[in-house]
Amino acid sequence: MENALSAEPALTLDVARRVLDSGPVVTVFGEPMLDGWWHGSSTRMAREAPAPIVRLGRKDSVPGGAANTAVNLAALGARVRFVGLVGDDEPGAAVRDLLAEAGVDVTHLLAVPGIRTITKTRIVVADQVMVRLDEGNDVHPSEALDRLAEAAVAASEGVDAAIVCDYGTGMLGEPVREALRTRAARPPLLVVDARNGIPWAPLRPDLVTPNAEEAGTLLGAPLRSGTDRAGTVAAEASRILAASGAAAAVVTLDRDGTVLLEQDGGIHRTWARPASDKQASGAGDTFASALTLARAAGLPLPVSADFAQAAADVVVSRSGTSVCSRDDLLRHLAQFADSALAADDLVRRLAGERAQGRRIVFTNGCFDVLHRGHTAYLNQAKRLGDVLVVAINSDDSVRRLKGESRPINPAPDRAEVLASLSCVDYVTVFATDTPIPLLERIRPDVYAKGGDYTIETLPESEVVLGYGGEVRILDYLADYSTTAVVDRIRTPAPVTEDVARLEARAKRGRRSPIVERRAGL
């Protein structure tokens, strides 16, 4: 999984394009479903029962369950194989046709007589789901499960990644789990998205994606709404990873975004972009699909989580079981490409945020070469309120502060990278040496600054405290700084014995692949 994308520190439009153009081969194992969205109108109640009479109009059928995951992957540019069972019935044929139309390989989608394809039909009136009708049984003949296990092994050969989508119907039971556990060739990346991740722990997945309820199952206790669920997840990281058997986990918390947990103790938070309430379904499938694609393409885990969050933000703003396509995601990310707001625009936007009762957090800096210290700091700042504003020094201001060799990246590029982080809500550029004039205009509730400062040494403190605001000094990661990163880049790597030997061979006319790469050939 190590490639040029492995070094990317943040999600930019260019990084997203390279991921979407990578075209990995991904196998999806899971329960295919047919989602029905039947729309109608209702103006009166039935005489025979206290129930509304619905006059049906448009009927939409789309792939649901694991089939939705497969369609999302295909729409994002992956080459997808699907493994699952459907009934030998009309809904099963519809699922097969819809998957094939989306470009998914359905060679290993098995039609089994005697079982009914799982369907979930929602009756919608005036954008309100009135009732959901579920059909399909959870009983699968042992012979069918044995065939499915064989298909799962065959479909996972030669792939870049595989994702398990287990909704707990019994389809992905012990025969399939054992076949995948004992297969000769393991995919480079195994992702498990399961209602109950514990039975999948023996497979030692690279990544699991439990939601809040599923994380509660792993912990043996629910994550209660109205509490600091993200904080609980971070505190229980070792237990979640141990119970799932995974190298890493991304716990999805709907409106609260996600929390990435890594074995080395690394924690990364993503933040969901606010969206109006819609009857959306399947955003978790979109997130898991985009996360799998990004990791298969070689993006680091934190950036992969941001990539997946962006895709999920696209679908939660829509109604029904929705799909995020390549073009959808690029259009969404393009909003942040020219993302630095002028001061007047920022003041107007923040007035609207305050009118909705949101707490404004402000921080500032050069943010020249984004690194882990920056992202950890910005996530800390976001947790102090509801809206995070990041003000960056203009190029001239950076030169005055850091010298003529800086900035490395111009202000528009720095603004785009910062705006792509899900924890950042607004970015602006200021030309003065301090952000005091800007602070006097927007008067944030909290002014946050890194731990290499104190309240007493900050010239901004007097202004913020004077209007009744709060100054917070955040943790300082001493091992991370832009200067240190730049110094490492500019310092030639030591020539090892192996590299010296290869360069000597190249001088004798036998050029090695490593030397060719170093030479840019």
Side-chain angles (χ1 to χ4, degrees):
M1 213 172 298
E2 292 297 326
N3 58 32
L5 285 171
S6 298
E8 296 295 344
L11 177 63
T12 63
L13 200 56
D14 179 60
V15 169
R17 285 196 186 96
R18 283 186 280 163
V19 171
L20 295 166
D21 290 341
S22 62
V25 179
V26 181
T27 295
V28 177
F29 312 105
E31 295 102 322
M33 303 176 189
L34 186 67
D35 276 7
W37 293 85
W38 294 8
H39 299 266
S41 59
S42 178
T43 58
R44 59 196 178 97
M45 301 293 287
R47 292 181 179 178
E48 65 274 16
I53 297 172
V54 178
R55 184 177 181 83
L56 288 176
R58 190 177 84 249
K59 296 182 179 181
D60 298 325
S61 294
V62 294
N68 185 43
T69 300
V71 170
N72 270 277
L73 274 162
L76 292 170
R79 292 168 288 168
V80 186
R81 304 171 184 174
F82 190 84
V83 180
L85 299 177
V86 291
D88 189 11
D89 53 16
E90 185 175 337
V95 170
R96 180 182 296 275
D97 290 345
L98 289 167
L99 284 170
E101 288 172 11
V104 176
D105 181 349
V106 292
T107 302
H108 302 286
L109 176 59
L110 309 180
V112 180
I115 71 169
R116 293 184 301 160
T117 302
I118 300 171
T119 64
K120 297 180 178 181
T121 304
R122 299 153 178 91
I123 310 299
V124 184
V125 176
D127 289 331
Q128 176 65 49
V129 175
M130 306 294 290
V131 66
R132 195 181 86 180
L133 309 174
D134 288 9
E135 297 180 90
N137 56 29
D138 296 345
V139 178
H140 304 94
S142 59
E143 179 185 351
L145 295 181
D146 291 339
R147 288 177 56 204
L148 184 64
E150 294 175 2
V153 172
S156 61
E157 292 182 2
V159 300
D160 299 297
I163 178 169
V164 171
C165 303
D166 183 4
Y167 289 82
T169 68
M171 188 180 296
L172 297 183
E174 185 57 30
V176 173
R177 290 197 298 270
E178 182 62 16
L180 293 178
R181 188 182 68 81
T182 58
R183 63 192 156 178
R186 175 190 169 96
L189 173 67
L190 175 62
V191 180
V192 171
D193 182 20
R195 182 161 295 175
N196 182 0
I198 294 174
W200 293 96
L203 274 74
R204 299 296 174 192
D206 300 289
L207 187 57
V208 294
T209 59
N211 60 25
E213 181 181 351
E214 294 156 0
T217 299
L218 293 171
L219 291 170
L223 297 179
R224 301 190 183 281
S225 59
T227 63
D228 181 11
R229 297 183 299 169
T232 300
V233 166
E236 299 289 359
S238 59
R239 290 181 60 202
I240 291 173
L241 293 174
S244 64
V250 181
V251 181
T252 59
L253 301 171
D254 45 79
R255 293 175 181 271
D256 294 329
T258 74
V259 183
L260 164 65
L261 313 171
E262 299 186 72
Q263 287 286 1
D264 64 0
I267 304 287
H268 178 75
R269 181 87 183 267
T270 74
W271 306 82
R273 304 271 177 188
S276 59
D277 289 335
K278 297 278 187 177
Q279 296 301 332
S281 178
D285 300 331
T286 300
F287 184 93
S289 301
L291 185 68
T292 301
L293 179 75
R295 285 300 287 153
L299 272 189
L301 269 168
V303 191
S304 296
D306 286 333
F307 181 91
Q309 182 67 65
D313 287 343
V314 170
V315 299
V316 296
S317 64
R318 299 172 176 172
S319 298
T321 306
S322 193
V323 171
C324 177
S325 71
R326 179 186 192 279
D327 289 344
D328 290 335
L329 186 55
L330 290 177
R331 277 194 297 269
H332 176 72
L333 293 173
Q335 300 175 62
F336 312 117
D338 185 18
S339 50
L341 292 175
D344 290 343
D345 290 337
L346 179 62
V347 169
R348 282 193 291 270
R349 299 278 191 96
L350 293 181
E353 301 284 3
R354 281 200 175 90
Q356 298 182 56
R358 294 185 177 133
R359 181 174 165 89
I360 310 300
V361 182
F362 178 100
T363 191
N364 66 280
C366 298
F367 296 100
D368 192 1
V369 178
L370 201 71
H371 51 70
R372 182 177 176 183
H374 287 142
T375 55
Y377 163 76
L378 292 171
N379 273 284
Q380 268 193 298
K382 174 72 172 186
R383 288 194 287 271
L384 299 175
D386 305 302
V387 176
L388 177 60
V389 178
V390 180
I392 62 173
N393 295 73
S394 68
D395 293 348
D396 286 341
S397 176
V398 174
R399 276 189 284 272
R400 290 195 299 270
L401 292 170
K402 303 290 186 179
E404 288 300 318
S405 63
R406 301 279 293 275
I408 303 296
N409 294 301
D413 291 354
R414 289 183 279 135
E416 178 187 347
V417 170
L418 286 166
S420 72
L421 299 176
S422 61
C423 62
V424 176
D425 296 288
Y426 298 106
V427 180
T428 191
V429 179
F430 65 97
T432 52
D433 289 344
T434 75
I436 288 176
L438 189 57
L439 285 167
E440 290 172 335
R441 289 198 65 185
I442 68 175
R443 299 166 71 92
D445 300 286
V446 182
Y447 177 56
K449 202 63 178 169
D452 48 343
Y453 293 89
T454 65
I455 293 178
E456 293 73 23
T457 61
L458 276 176
E460 297 86 355
S461 295
E462 182 179 354
V463 172
V464 176
L465 296 174
Y467 65 72
E470 181 182 354
V471 178
R472 292 289 296 271
I473 304 300
L474 304 184
D475 294 342
Y476 176 60
L477 300 182
D479 293 336
Y480 294 93
S481 73
T482 298
T483 300
V485 171
V486 172
D487 287 344
R488 286 199 299 272
I489 292 171
R490 289 174 172 168
T491 302
V495 178
T496 65
E497 182 179 344
D498 289 340
V499 172
R501 176 172 50 82
L502 291 167
E503 289 178 339
R505 289 182 62 193
K507 288 178 180 178
R508 294 195 299 269
R510 290 179 290 177
R511 187 181 296 275
S512 75
I514 291 177
V515 173
E516 288 178 352
R517 288 198 294 272
R518 284 169 58 110
L521 301 176

